[in-house]
Amino acid sequence: MSEYGNATYWNEIYDLDLHSNATTQGNDGEDEFDEKILSYSKKNRFLDVGCGDGSFTLKVAESAKEVVGIDFSRRAIEHAMANLANSNRNNVRFENSNVDNLRFNQETFDLVYSRRGPLTHGSKSLFEARRVLKNDGILMEITIGEHDKENIARIFGRGQMLGSEKVSILKDRMLRQSGLKPIEIKDYIATEVFPTLNDLIVRLTDSPIIPDFDRVKDAAHLDKVEKECMTKKGIETPSHRVIIVARK
């Protein structure tokens, strides 16, 4: 099982509670995606797949009728429940659940969305998303593109997206095979800048960019990254995102 789909891995990451300093130059689609979600949220029922600590789920709930956040990481849901307890929201609930086996009736939600989560990772998740969407409901996701962190992955000789098929083509095919109708699939490529090597190390530690990353065992790779990718601004690397919008 890949780290991306390993609940134990993500439980450990949430226990670390790491934060990396980085800036983004250009439009990576993240803000645009959030705006799209919020524009749909009035008086609708939403499902947030891979909700993490629930921060964005709670933001959506400010104008939505109801939002359910799910995550297969038990620790993520514990963080989300703590954030919910500190909010004044009564239209949100969080569940430790897997998108491949949703515990909801068919045609429950107006919109199912995911921010770099597992919503479109396979046929089971897409089947479940389609099942719980109301007729004419919307699926939205922002996911990682094939060029993300490409220069770093090539130096390491491994990476979660290294050698991947073009993501926009892959997702279009998967959506159509699941019976969903693609409305928009759009690529965004920006530059992410890590001020120091340690900032990059933190990111590689708290995300599955480089499978089985170990700062000691990978010391030679890190040295090479610093030599080849460091600029006056910091270590520069592509940030590639793909926004997906489809209709049932």
Side-chain angles (χ1 to χ4, degrees):
M1 179 182 289
S2 69
E3 290 170 339
Y4 187 83
N6 188 332
T8 300
Y9 168 83
W10 287 108
N11 287 337
E12 293 172 353
I13 292 303
Y14 276 98
D15 282 335
L16 292 174
D17 193 27
L18 298 174
H19 301 281
S20 173
N21 292 317
T23 58
T24 300
Q25 299 177 345
N27 180 10
D28 65 357
E30 295 278 355
D31 290 342
E32 189 170 317
F33 180 79
D34 290 356
E35 290 172 4
K36 284 178 180 287
I37 293 293
L38 295 172
S39 73
Y40 278 103
S41 63
K42 292 179 173 53
K43 299 182 180 179
N44 287 324
R45 288 187 169 91
F46 282 50
L47 176 64
D48 184 341
V49 175
C51 64
D53 67 5
S55 298
F56 187 69
T57 319
L58 291 167
K59 186 174 182 179
V60 172
E62 292 175 7
S63 55
K65 182 175 183 179
E66 179 186 16
V67 188
V68 179
I70 66 166
D71 203 294
F72 70 177
S73 166
R74 171 185 52 80
R75 292 292 289 137
I77 293 301
E78 289 174 1
H79 282 274
M81 293 296 291
N83 287 332
L84 176 60
N86 291 326
S87 75
N88 61 353
R89 305 248 56 93
N90 59 11
N91 60 337
V92 180
R93 71 178 191 270
F94 292 106
E95 296 186 7
N96 184 200
S97 181
N98 193 312
V99 67
D100 288 347
N101 187 23
L102 296 174
R103 297 190 291 266
F104 307 108
N105 294 330
Q106 63 183 25
E107 299 183 14
T108 298
F109 299 100
D110 299 284
L111 189 146
V112 177
Y113 72 89
S114 185
R115 298 166 81 239
R116 288 168 276 107
L119 179 55
T120 68
H121 77 105
S123 58
K124 286 185 179 180
S125 61
L126 281 168
F127 174 83
E128 283 291 270
R130 186 180 185 281
R131 182 182 65 81
V132 302
L133 270 174
K134 295 179 181 179
N135 288 329
D136 211 36
I138 297 292
L139 176 148
M140 290 183 63
E141 181 179 65
I142 184 166
T143 192
I144 308 297
E146 69 276 7
H147 297 299
D148 193 70
K149 307 297 178 290
E150 189 173 36
N151 58 341
I152 293 172
R154 291 195 183 283
I155 289 172
F156 274 79
R158 65 189 196 273
Q160 66 173 342
M161 301 308 297
L162 189 63
S164 171
E165 178 183 356
K166 186 173 176 58
V167 170
S168 57
I169 293 176
L170 172 64
K171 298 300 184 180
D172 181 87
R173 182 172 69 247
M174 292 175 67
L175 289 167
R176 294 180 189 278
Q177 289 173 346
S178 71
L180 293 163
K181 302 172 185 175
I183 298 173
E184 177 186 26
I185 301 179
K186 186 176 179 181
D187 288 86
Y188 297 80
I189 298 182
T191 299
E192 191 166 20
V193 183
F194 296 87
T196 69
L197 180 62
N198 190 64
D199 289 309
L200 176 63
I201 289 171
V202 171
R203 176 65 63 80
L204 297 181
T205 302
D206 73 1
S207 64
I209 295 168
I210 303 296
D212 301 315
F213 172 73
D214 185 301
R215 67 181 301 168
V216 175
K217 294 179 181 179
D218 287 313
H221 295 130
L222 290 168
D223 287 343
K224 192 172 182 180
V225 167
E226 189 170 31
K227 290 175 183 176
E228 296 186 10
C229 305
M230 181 67 78
T231 69
K232 292 180 180 180
K233 298 176 182 178
I235 294 173
E236 297 191 9
T237 184
S239 176
H240 184 186
R241 301 288 183 264
V242 182
I243 289 181
I244 298 161
V245 184
R247 188 182 299 276
K248 180 174 177 180

